[in-house]
Amino acid sequence: MDNHGDYKIIGNSRQRYSYGIDLNSSWNGIDLRMFLQGVGKRNYYPPGGDHYFWGIYAQPWASLTKFNLDHWTPENPNAYLPRPKSYVAEQSGIELAATQTKYLQNAGYLRVKM
């Protein structure tokens, strides 16, 4: 077996803990129905080239959103993102597009329908 050093499997894009509940109520001629549905646990890692998540890190023409403004500077060394540099998230498997735990997103959700 090959020794991959600190390589380990992270995340799971399959949705786990799916749930749903349908609530009905009526009182004095007023009816209310609410449907709650969601996924308790799911991981998402934005792929290389996903300019909606990576912004200027994937494409130089992408806008700098508020999310992208938390980048490294000498005054902000603990920023969420590195210094702005185009194309570092463009190709899968290298630089920012290399899967890592820092940018692994929680994709669990709760949807309410009335």
Side-chain angles (χ1 to χ4, degrees):
M1 189 161 147
D2 295 332
N3 181 0
H4 294 288
D6 64 352
Y7 174 79
K8 66 180 180 176
I9 297 172
I10 60 171
N12 186 343
S13 62
R14 294 183 58 134
Q15 55 188 9
R16 293 167 280 170
Y17 315 122
S18 297
Y19 57 88
I21 186 168
D22 191 4
L23 303 170
N24 292 299
S25 179
S26 69
W27 173 78
N28 206 15
I30 300 172
D31 296 327
L32 176 67
R33 182 174 184 186
M34 187 174 1
F35 178 67
L36 305 169
Q37 180 265 329
V39 171
K41 182 157 181 71
R42 183 175 187 183
N43 296 334
Y44 171 75
Y45 191 85
D50 181 355
H51 64 272
Y52 293 109
F53 181 84
W54 293 115
I56 196 168
Y57 294 94
Q59 302 288 331
W61 45 262
S63 66
L64 278 172
T65 63
K66 184 177 180 181
F67 169 76
N68 294 75
L69 293 177
D70 185 19
H71 61 270
W72 184 92
T73 63
E75 298 80 28
N76 189 17
N78 297 321
Y80 183 67
L81 294 165
R83 69 178 176 83
K85 179 183 170 192
S86 298
Y87 298 117
V88 293
E90 183 62 22
Q91 296 178 346
S92 295
I94 60 172
E95 297 187 84
L96 282 180
T99 305
Q100 55 183 299
T101 56
K102 183 170 184 174
Y103 302 114
L104 191 64
Q105 304 295 303
N106 177 0
Y109 65 91
L110 168 66
R111 177 172 39 195
V112 178
K113 293 183 176 182
M114 297 180 79

